[in-house]
Amino acid sequence: MRSEPNPQAAVGRERTFTIVAFLVDTNVLVYRFDARYPEKQRIARDVLHRGLKDDSARIPHQALIEFVSVVTRIRVGSDFLLSLDEARHEVGELMTQFPILYPNAAVVHSALLGAAAYRISWFDAHLWAYAEHYGLEEIVSEDFEHGRLYGSVRIRNPFRRT
């Protein structure tokens, strides 16, 4: 008796891949609007566009709060990046385009442990805790050491010059 070949087990040219979800730090959101740094602005737009296109970017609630604070703050020698109304509008857009991750007790507890274990700031530890808790493999940020692994989360600095 002869068995038929299994088409699902056949070897061919088809490739499969897994999209790795990543956490977006505040600096990526801010650089998108900061014309003082055109190269970083372009990179930030590319990161967000890619994350939107393949549904891989996640934004923590914390980054939205920090974004409004940073872009509406008057800077020495110049105006703010966005008016408060513009910043509110942009946060609303981000909330419709990307999954927003919210804190819970486990995230806060992990942040406390992460701040002590990795000797990083509370804000960075909180960001890391979001990624660790939600199972994200990567944080896209310039505020951590590029390539370093914190727990199960690797850091990628898209603005890094090689």
Side-chain angles (χ1 to χ4, degrees), residues 14-67:
E14 186 173 323
R15 302 232 186 251
T16 60
F17 61 94
T18 302
I19 294 172
V20 175
F22 61 91
L23 194 70
V24 177
D25 194 1
T26 308
N27 51 57
V28 175
L29 302 177
V30 171
Y31 280 131
R32 183 172 158 227
F33 296 96
D34 197 340
R36 296 176 303 166
Y37 306 100
E39 181 65 11
K40 288 184 176 185
Q41 188 176 40
R42 182 194 60 74
I43 291 167
R45 285 183 180 151
D46 290 350
V47 166
L48 292 170
H49 182 261
R50 180 179 64 93
L52 186 60
K53 182 179 174 185
D54 63 17
D55 190 34
S56 60
R58 307 291 182 266
I59 299 177
H61 173 257
Q62 170 186 328
L64 297 177
I65 294 168
E66 292 175 358
F67 171 78

Side-chain angles (χ1 to χ4, degrees), residues 145-156:
E145 181 183 338
H146 177 77
R148 181 164 176 192
L149 191 64
Y150 294 86
S152 64
V153 180
R154 186 157 313 275
I155 304 304
R156 180 170 59 91

Side-chain angles (χ1 to χ4, degrees), residues 6 61 110:
N6 180 352
H61 173 257
S110 290

Side-chain angles (χ1 to χ4, degrees), residues 6 10 14 23 25 35 48-50 53-54 57 64 75 79 86 90-91 93 104 108 112-113 121 134 140:
N6 180 352
E14 186 173 323
L23 194 70
D25 194 1
L48 292 170
H49 182 261
R50 180 179 64 93
K53 182 179 174 185
D54 63 17
L64 297 177
R75 299 169 294 152
D79 290 333
E86 290 169 327
E90 289 303 325
V91 167
E93 289 294 312
N104 57 33
V108 174
L112 291 168
L113 295 174
S121 76
Y134 287 102
V140 176

